[in-house]
Amino acid sequence: MPNQDLSSQDLPNIGPIVLLGPPGAGKGTQAKRIVEEFKIPQISTGDLLRDNVQRHTPLGVQAKAVMERGDLVSDDLVCGMVGERLQLDDARRGFILDGFPRTVEQAIWLDGFLQHGIFDNSKPGASKVKGAKAAHWTPIVIRMDVDYNKLKFRLTGRRSCPVCGRIYNVHSQPASVDEVCDVDGAKLVIRDDDREEVIQERLAAYDRLTKPVADYYDRKGRLFVVNGDRPMDKVTAEIFQEIRRHSAPASGH
Ligand code: AMP
């Protein structure tokens, strides 16, 4: 599913971005803003897997039961899928990984993959290796932290439209008419996994799974932590600044 209009030749390289953060931290919103600002694709392993399941590909057939149980699909399958996706043209200037890496093994695989230098280094922001056609890249890893009670508050307020999928929040982004979708008038619902009893479990699972990945990047001095507990625009500004800091050319164009 390459995004054709993102492969423009005139834009600078941005590099790989890994967004980490618990459910409800606002990763989805920030990822969309990064896509718009830097014109790089958002690559979600959950979406790619669901697409494979729907199309009954061999990968989809293997992944289906695992996903239904809520377990992680094997590293081999997921890394193979990500590797193929990253070689499409629209990812040559950079990309945002969403939902990946989820394990330390995946993070190690990603580092190895990025060392192979499949990316375009003819533009500012790429590491310049004389005579080389491609650069290897180091991911920019951004973790959005939000206080546990705030997350719980945000997640319990989340409502979605069962018809068009639009997301609302009774606390921060309410529908114009209480509990009714602005777009199609459908009655809004609470997603099963946004129910209070499930939220605690999801947040604990996030901590358990993501912590080793964050620690892996932290040990390498690559983890940038953003306080996601502030107005969205402030968080966006800080994230953009960090991305620009990494992707800016070392010395002028
Ligand atoms: P998500 O939409 O990110 O919550 O992912 C939905 C499901 O896809 C997860 O519950 C996993 O079963 C699977 N999945 C997504 N990303 C990964 C990954 N990086 N590694 C293993 N399984 C994944």
Side-chain angles (χ1 to χ4, degrees), residues 13-14 124-126 242-251 253:
N13 280 344
I14 302 300
E242 180 65 11
I243 294 173
R244 291 203 172 93
R245 198 170 70 78
H246 279 267
S247 52
S251 56
H253 291 205

Side-chain angles (χ1 to χ4, degrees), residues 3-13 38-41 89-94 120 122-123:
N3 204 334
Q4 299 296 342
D5 57 345
L6 298 180
S7 52
S8 162
Q9 295 297 308
D10 304 324
L11 298 164
N13 280 344
F38 297 101
K39 314 281 184 253
I40 54 175
D89 260 2
D90 67 336
R92 285 178 70 83
R93 293 177 38 251
D120 188 356
S122 62
K123 298 189 225 67

Side-chain angles (χ1 to χ4, degrees), residues 131-182:
K133 288 202 173 59
H136 61 257
W137 273 342
T138 306
I140 304 167
V141 185
I142 299 169
R143 190 182 74 196
M144 295 176 61
D145 282 356
V146 176
D147 169 76
Y148 179 84
N149 288 321
K150 282 262 172 63
L151 284 175
K152 217 164 114 180
F153 179 74
R154 285 188 193 177
L155 289 168
T156 49
R158 203 144 78 166
R159 301 286 182 273
S160 65
C161 172
V163 177
C164 70
R166 186 162 168 177
I167 306 284
Y168 298 85
N169 194 298
V170 293
H171 311 301
S172 54
Q173 270 184 306
S176 311
V177 178
D178 206 20
E179 305 283 325
V180 172
C181 181
D182 292 350

Side-chain angles (χ1 to χ4, degrees), residues 27 44-50 63-75 77-79 81-82 98-103 106 191 193 202 209:
K27 265 185 309 170
S44 151
T45 43
D47 286 351
L48 287 177
L49 285 165
R50 278 184 288 275
K64 188 169 188 280
V66 182
M67 291 172 73
E68 279 169 358
R69 286 200 304 272
D71 285 342
L72 287 187
V73 176
S74 80
D75 291 333
L77 286 181
V78 176
C79 293
M81 175 184 80
V82 171
D98 171 4
F100 185 94
R102 280 250 227 303
T103 64
Q106 292 177 8
R191 257 171 46 175
D193 56 356
R202 282 172 68 202
L209 289 170

